[in-house]
């Protein structure tokens, strides 16, 4: 899996985006209520956004480390008593960012995962989670 390290630059307004315009993606992306995390066998990750077909995560990693293969992800929210486990997936992209003023060995690793071969029950649980716990659509900003 090819990885790139780029300086962290916060998103600014796109000159071509209209206010409230949703990103052109296969599925709408949503933010979840506070308290949701994703975890694999070796990492706890912040959820950047989620859709019916995939999820964008970020976590701190050691500079120069390989991205672990995430063939399965779990979603947890202790505040809501929610656990959705063993979601099969594959890595769609990896992007390593160097935080501003970073002089150490940590990077922010952003990983996009595509859900793969979901059972009807798993897809129903994801759909239900989006209905119950999403706060807003991820829009271009």
């Amino acid at each position: 899996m090819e990885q790139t390290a780029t300086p962290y630059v916060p998103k600014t307004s796109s000159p071509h985006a209209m206010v409230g315009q949703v990103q052109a993606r296969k599925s709408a992306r949503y933010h979840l209520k506070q308290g949701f995390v994703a975890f694999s066998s070796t990492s706890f990750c912040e959820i950047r956004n989620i859709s019916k077909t995939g999820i964008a995560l970020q976590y701190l990693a050691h500079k120069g480390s390989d991205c672990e293969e995430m063939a399965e992800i779990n979603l947890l929210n202790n505040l809501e008593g929610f656990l959705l486990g063993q979601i099969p997936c594959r890595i769609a992209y990896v992007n390593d960012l160097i935080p501003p003023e970073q002089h150490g060995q940590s990077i922010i690793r952003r990983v996009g995962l595509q859900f793969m071969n979901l059972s009807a029950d798993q897809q129903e649980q994801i759909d239900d989670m989006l209905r119950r716990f999403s706060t807003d659509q991820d829009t271009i900003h």
Side-chain angles (χ1 to χ4, degrees), residues 6 47 61-62 90 96 106:
T6 55
I47 300 171
H62 186 69
R90 73 169 187 84
D96 289 344
S106 294

Side-chain angles (χ1 to χ4, degrees), residues 112-131:
L113 301 176
Q114 178 183 5
F115 299 142
M116 302 294 295
N117 305 317
L118 296 178
S119 69
D121 184 52
Q122 287 172 318
Q123 188 64 62
E124 185 177 309
Q125 289 178 5
I126 289 172
D127 293 345
D128 182 56
M129 178 187 65
L130 291 173
R131 273 191 303 277

Side-chain angles (χ1 to χ4, degrees), residues 1-139:
M1 177 83 24
E2 183 179 321
Q3 298 178 32
T4 58
T6 55
Y8 176 74
V9 179
K11 280 189 174 180
T12 58
S13 295
S14 168
H16 305 291
M18 298 177 72
V19 174
Q21 180 179 356
V22 177
Q23 293 177 349
R25 298 201 176 197
K26 189 179 198 179
S27 299
R29 301 280 174 153
Y30 299 91
H31 295 277
L32 294 175
K33 285 183 178 180
Q34 182 178 351
F36 273 90
V37 295
F39 64 95
S40 66
S41 59
T42 60
S43 298
F44 271 87
C45 309
E46 175 186 349
I47 300 171
R48 295 180 42 84
N49 61 49
I50 187 169
S51 74
K52 292 182 177 200
T53 60
I55 189 167
L57 308 172
Q58 75 179 20
Y59 61 95
L60 287 178
H62 186 69
K63 191 183 295 183
S65 67
D66 288 334
C67 182
E68 70 167 289
E69 184 58 40
M70 291 186 189
E72 194 174 88
I73 199 80
N74 306 283
L75 304 176
L76 171 70
N77 186 321
N78 282 338
L79 300 173
E80 299 289 345
F82 181 88
L83 174 64
L84 178 53
Q86 301 177 323
I87 303 167
C89 54
R90 73 169 187 84
I91 295 176
Y93 68 84
V94 176
N95 190 13
D96 289 344
L97 304 168
I98 302 168
E101 307 299 321
Q102 177 64 21
H103 301 294
Q105 292 298 310
S106 294
I107 55 170
I108 297 171
R109 177 160 291 152
R110 291 187 175 170
V111 179
L113 301 176
Q114 178 183 5
F115 299 142
M116 302 294 295
N117 305 317
L118 296 178
S119 69
D121 184 52
Q122 287 172 318
Q123 188 64 62
E124 185 177 309
Q125 289 178 5
I126 289 172
D127 293 345
D128 182 56
M129 178 187 65
L130 291 173
R131 273 191 303 277
R132 293 174 50 207
F133 302 116
S134 64
T135 58
D136 59 353
Q137 259 187 324
D138 191 14
T139 58

